[in-house]
Amino acid sequence: MEFDAEARLAERDQLATTVLTANRAAGRRIAVAESCTGGMVSAALTDIAGSSDVFSAGFITYSADAKQRQLDVSSEILETFGEVALATAWAMAAGALANSDADVAVAITGIAGPGGGSERKPVGLVVFARALRGQDPDDYFTQRVQFEATDRATIRHHATLFALDLLQP
């Protein structure tokens, strides 16, 4: 697949606009906790003029230490499951809600490559979580997605779009 930055940007902006419009109509504020996307979801949302009435907070927690300090992810979760795990994404989403005034939070953590993968956690594995304020934490959404792309830019782009989709009311 040929990298077409202009087409990707248009696709991202269209989805971000839809997410902001729908959440505005629902009266919801958004927070995002990002690792492998490095702020791309937050950038997608804040690139849209007028997003400040919907976008509450973005946490870029690339390291385990940042996940612990900014999002209150426990060392036990990180030591037991690692940074790319359902439990970690769940804790990141919970931490984004706890540390913001958002009504919905999405968390993204994964392995964008080209290195860093393993047989158990290959390049392209991205883990997502979505949490709603007031929701039973047992009901938070979590999902592992294995993106088939092999290049970093494509994996991060697809992860950004997936996260934006999770923010739809």
Side-chain angles (χ1 to χ4, degrees), residues 6-166:
E6 195 171 306
R8 286 184 181 189
L9 188 59
E11 179 183 27
R12 181 203 78 159
D13 286 353
Q14 181 179 12
L15 183 53
T17 299
T18 301
V19 166
L20 290 168
T21 301
N23 280 281
R24 185 175 291 114
R28 290 191 341 175
R29 294 187 49 77
I30 293 170
V32 180
E34 301 183 67
S35 187
C36 67
T37 49
M40 291 174 70
V41 179
S42 297
L45 293 165
T46 59
D47 277 354
I48 308 304
S51 61
S52 62
D53 66 331
V54 176
F55 185 76
S56 171
F59 301 89
I60 302 170
T61 56
Y62 213 66
S63 70
D65 182 59
K67 288 172 180 64
Q68 289 178 292
R69 283 186 292 105
Q70 294 179 42
L71 298 171
D72 308 317
V73 176
S74 74
S75 59
E76 291 80 16
I77 286 175
L78 292 167
E79 290 166 11
T80 303
F81 301 103
E83 288 187 62
V84 181
L86 293 171
T88 303
W90 180 97
M92 289 171 65
L97 276 185
N99 290 289
S100 73
D101 66 348
D103 302 295
V104 59
V106 166
I108 308 103
T109 185
I111 303 167
S118 67
E119 187 175 318
R120 217 177 108 228
K121 295 182 180 179
V123 169
L125 175 64
V126 183
V127 184
F128 300 89
R130 179 187 57 232
L132 301 172
R133 188 165 303 282
Q135 180 181 32
D136 183 332
D138 286 342
D139 294 331
Y140 289 177
F141 171 88
T142 57
Q143 184 172 344
R144 291 169 48 113
V145 177
Q146 179 64 53
F147 294 108
E148 296 306 316
T150 57
D151 67 286
R152 184 176 184 83
T154 300
I155 292 165
R156 293 175 77 208
H157 172 73
H158 288 307
T160 297
L161 296 180
F162 193 94
L164 286 169
D165 262 342
L166 288 178

